[in-house]
Amino acid sequence: MSQNPQETSRQMYIRHGQNYGETNRMAEISKTYGSSILFRRWGATVFDFVFFVIGYICLFISVIQITDRWFLPLAIATRCILLIAFFCYYLLLEGYTGYTLGKFVFRIKVVNGEERPPGFLKSLIRTLLRLIETNPFLMGSLPAVISVLVTSSGQRIGDLAAGTYVVKVRDLEPISKKTMKRSLLIFFTIIMFLVGSMVDVAFLSIKHYQSAEAPVSRKEQTFISKDGQFQISAPLDWSTDPDREKITDIAIFNPYIQKSVAVLSNSKKELGNVTLQHYTKKIQNNMTKEFNLSTVGPSSNTTIHGYPAIEFTIKGQKDENHYVTHVAIIETENDYHQVLGYTPASKYSRFKKELHDITYSFREVRH
């Protein structure tokens, strides 16, 4: 039976490469792989990418569950943490073990010409270029794929710049027990960190959904009506809603989480001889027409900053989405005001207190 010439060549270099006067045994072994090494490298890259996606999701959910909000500085901070973690993951793991989790699974290893892990400097060069050539959002890793296919040793640009090679573990000399223990300890630590993060997310989710109230930031900002007659206060991650501001007196929303509050006013003079109860009934009828399959919750009389008010909720469907609207009808000397807090039905228990606090911040502006 004839042998594969490429396989015969590979075995010759593994067994006799140094005796044949090869100055760089790893380069010669790499030349025997052809395009087969590309598939292992691609599989390892996808594995590591999935690992980071899971890690980012865990971080994202943890932050949301703890803070209950997602605003620009927080978004920037979490992305910076992810970028630093990504950089250190490749820099330290490949630099000192030659592996990442993906490479360990696909049985390939990064080495220098002496068959050892590349070390800090070479790994730094590889990692910096990785941010460009294997970035799935930047040309889809095309530069790395082309480089691996066209170079004789199957090297990407980072390998060429750092003088490193990616070889199959079976073609390397057995590593010492000390090195093996160190590598296993590092991988075990990473896996435990990921598992711990997932457990933490699950714990926070269970704990958070058991609570009927969501934490609200003590730092607030004030939003004043167009006529300057009244105001409401909301946490710093809320802002004016430009789409609804034109048709309301005040319209605010959280741009990163689905929740919003609007205030509409009607003059008592224009309404005529209408009581608070009659006006509330009219608003309930109008809102049940707006939402499909609407259910009006029980009404309760209350006082908001000394003004008589009636509170209730409406559950309904709009554009195939289920919403809960927290409504407060407030009577001042000259007007009736509707304070409407919207959020998806699935999130109402979490945002109920925040919408309640914004509603109860309503007051007239004293000039």
Side-chain angles (χ1 to χ4, degrees), residues 223-240:
F223 298 90
I224 300 177
S225 62
K226 296 175 184 177
D227 59 8
Q229 297 300 311
F230 59 90
Q231 65 183 48
I232 58 174
S233 300
L236 295 178
D237 52 335
W238 286 67
S239 58
T240 300

Side-chain angles (χ1 to χ4, degrees), residues 200-221:
D200 179 59
V201 167
F203 175 77
L204 285 172
S205 298
I206 293 172
K207 182 178 179 181
H208 197 85
Y209 281 104
Q210 284 177 342
S211 174
E213 297 182 350
V216 180
S217 172
R218 292 182 180 179
K219 295 182 179 179
E220 295 183 335
Q221 55 185 324

Side-chain angles (χ1 to χ4, degrees), residues 305-317:
H305 276 284
Y307 312 119
I310 297 177
E311 247 183 323
F312 60 91
T313 59
I314 289 186
K315 297 180 181 180
Q317 183 179 345

Side-chain angles (χ1 to χ4, degrees), residues 9-20:
S9 174
R10 184 182 66 81
Q11 291 296 335
M12 181 186 72
Y13 281 120
I14 293 170
R15 296 173 183 173
H16 308 293
Q18 291 176 326
N19 296 331
Y20 275 68

Side-chain angles (χ1 to χ4, degrees), residues 18 38 111 207 222 264 289 299 305:
Q18 291 176 326
L38 174 64
V111 295
K207 182 178 179 181
T222 299
L264 299 93
K289 294 177 183 178
S299 300
H305 276 284

